[in-house]
Amino acid sequence: MTEVKQLVQDLADQYGRNQESLLPILQGIVNREQHISEDAMIEVARELNISAAQVYGTATFYSFLNTKPLGKYVIRVCKTITCMMHGKNQIIKELETVLKVNLGETTHDGKFTLLETNCLGQCHKGPAMLINDKPYTELTPDKVREIIMMYRDKELRVN
Amino acid sequence: MSDKINLRIDNIAVSVEEGTTILEAARKVNIRIPTLCHHEDLCVAGNCRVCMVEQTGADRLLPSCAMPVSEGMEIQTNSLKVRSARRQIIELLVSEHRADCTRCYKNGKCELQELSSEYIIGESGFIDLVPLKVMTIDNFSPSIIKDDSKCIRCQRCVRTCDQLQNIGALTVAYKGKNMKISSFYEKPMYEVVCTNCGQCVNRCPTGALTEKTYVEQVWTAINNDKKHVVVQTAPAVRIALGEALGMPAGEIVTGKMVSALRRLGFDSVLDTDFTADLTIIEEGNELLQRLKKVLVDGDTSVKIPMTTSCSPGWVKFIEHTFPEYLENVSTAKSPQQMFGALAKTFYAKKVNVEPEDMVSVSIMPCTAKKYEADRPEMRSSGYKDVDFVLTTRELALMIKQAGIDFASLPEDEYDSFMGESSGAAVIFGATGGVMEAALRTAYEVVTGREVPFDNLNITPVRGMDSIKEASVKIENPLPEWSFLDGVELKTCVAHGLSNAKQVMEAVKSGKADYHFIEIMACPGGCLGGGGQPIPTSPAIREKRSKAIYKEDSLKPIRKSHENPEIAQIYDEFLKEPLGKKSHQLLHTHYTERNRY
Ligand code: SF4
Ligand code: SF4
Ligand code: SF4
Ligand code: FES
Ligand code: FES
């Protein structure tokens, strides 16, 4: 059995095989694999006896359910109104410059992916972003540059 | 009745059952409220909001398709407030719609176009969003074209594929301004579980889902003097074509259709009904053979229940969904493909035409037939057996293009050979029809007596119930079939793939012990096919069904094996059912397909 198949089966054993199990299973795949591959979606459809297109529809509806392979560090900048008023556009511009990617893309070394997301519940401290699970708030272009440098340093030390 | 609800719509008093929607109540008093996402065959979606009406005393407008009536309601369907809300909705829809009506396949038959012409949209105050959107046109399938730039996201197609067909080939992907109707991973329709049934095409209000048309190719063939163009017409076309040419539903137009086809310039006007009769002989014999092998020889490699194979939507469905049951599907080709294989062999010889100079066209109530004709197996004559498949709608279009006044045409008769048919062939067009036709013949082959139903009408398999069952007890068979003595032949009939799925799941779980199962992919059978005139509704399908059974009752010959041309073709060419020639030309095999 392939690894994805095994993973999907384990998740289905854990969360059940009905309509309501779909979201937790997809979330479980993202936690393990970062993104939900085409094969994983087909396996989920088979386990839950629903159509693969339905799985795709659900996966594309939620921005946290990635359907594309992502970098090691996924940066999600809040795009909702408060953060927008606090200048999230400058933040994104700075990230694009530092990382040399456009919004939605992954760096060549596969380390960083730059995405937008909806409100993170940090509106009072906007603009806000997440790097993987870690929130960063009250961002400024300078602060963003420092944060990215820190991650790059960390990566260099790992290698 | 006392539990009626009384209300007034545009000042007209209406009294209806509880639970009726405002929309239905308005229809009762002949007030038309525009709709887009609503369809009589589907559950309420309530997402387009063009059906909004005003209730006196309420601030908010109500969606009439979703809102049940209540006592004393005062409804305005055409107040200023309603009109302005409707206009805004239509303007918004059009602002993200590639509205090139003059070039559009749906021009003149489009619900969005009709609505915007009624509301005289004119120059819009909204920004034109079309150039800003990335929208794809998928035209890889031989059956269906999906053009996202024409989609208004009413989701009729998604509901059709999910509720009526239980396939879920289409889904709503992404959200907000990026929301779109998508297949799995936005793959071309050709690559996914779509069965090409065209039920979504039949219900799409715009040009976002249409059949792929071959009208121009057929005109070219007709105008090529070197080509002999043969046309065949499926059973269900003759009882629906009139609807697309201004006639009411349920008219039998067989004779007029034949005249029209001659006027269009087809060289031989022949009938798929002939090969429907032939299918009964081949498939009926196959069933009896299977029963013999299982019951007498104990051969476990032979599979029972046998299912029909004439609906290409059903065939593709089982290839994707229940591939472990492919050996249960009759190997007999569909009547269309039997016809095609015979046209370029037997018939070509008869009329002295080289098969490469023959173009074979079929008129079908079906979009899946286009895909079927394209399958690599369907070249038994050494050529593409059926070159072009046109839907009932495309034939209507050709008749209009040729300037023919259909209603005033005289009645004409099919050419011969391969133009003669029985009543049993006509009813192929209705759910239960193949079963009835097969039983009329099989019972008589086995017992030497007519099937024991009043006037040959096997009523238990008729009608629109989703899953029908009938059993026929075999008594005093002819000596050759003595092993069937006392056997209760159990049959099942399902139409619409969601019902088909239920039946197959019952078979899989061992809960069903049928011998023979008829399945048609479309609701109502071919008469409700994806290529039939638009609109369709339960009432329209009912009328078409009545017409089919009437046509059967009027036929002098009502049993396939009594069609004299059938006897003749076995005599002259095929020799015997399931014989060598039959295997070459009239039988096929199936392929397992992917799960998405
Ligand atoms: S789908 Fe309808 S409104 Fe749109 S371009 Fe075609 S005819 Fe016009
Ligand atoms: S493809 Fe047609 S039926 Fe489906 S959502 Fe778009 S407009 Fe509606
Ligand atoms: S053609 Fe039939 S199977 Fe294919 S998407 Fe439309 S309704 Fe679904
Ligand atoms: S608006 Fe950005 S965190 Fe709430
Ligand atoms: S027709 Fe009522 S909301 Fe679409």
Side-chain angles (χ1 to χ4, degrees), chain B residues 150-158 170 181 200 203-206 208-209:
Chain B
K150 302 282 164 81
C151 175
I152 56 169
R153 300 179 290 185
C154 68
Q155 300 175 29
R156 279 193 197 168
C157 55
V158 176
L170 295 171
I181 305 303
C200 57
R203 286 171 184 75
C204 177
T206 70
L209 283 165

Side-chain angles (χ1 to χ4, degrees), chain B residues 27 32-40 42 48 50 90 93-94 97 101 104-119 121 150 152 154 156 159 200-208 533-536:
Chain B
R27 284 189 182 162
R32 188 180 57 88
I33 300 173
T35 53
L36 276 175
C37 67
H38 176 82
H39 193 284
E40 272 181 71
L42 306 172
C48 78
V50 300
I90 301 166
L93 285 174
V94 173
H97 185 90
C101 299
C104 183
Y105 189 62
K106 268 293 188 78
N107 191 3
K109 297 170 278 255
C110 169
E111 293 178 42
L112 179 63
Q113 189 188 41
E114 206 180 305
L115 209 58
S116 43
S117 82
E118 231 173 80
Y119 278 80
I121 298 299
K150 302 282 164 81
I152 56 169
C154 68
R156 279 193 197 168
R159 282 174 286 148
C200 57
V201 170
N202 206 291
R203 286 171 184 75
C204 177
T206 70
I534 300 171
T536 184

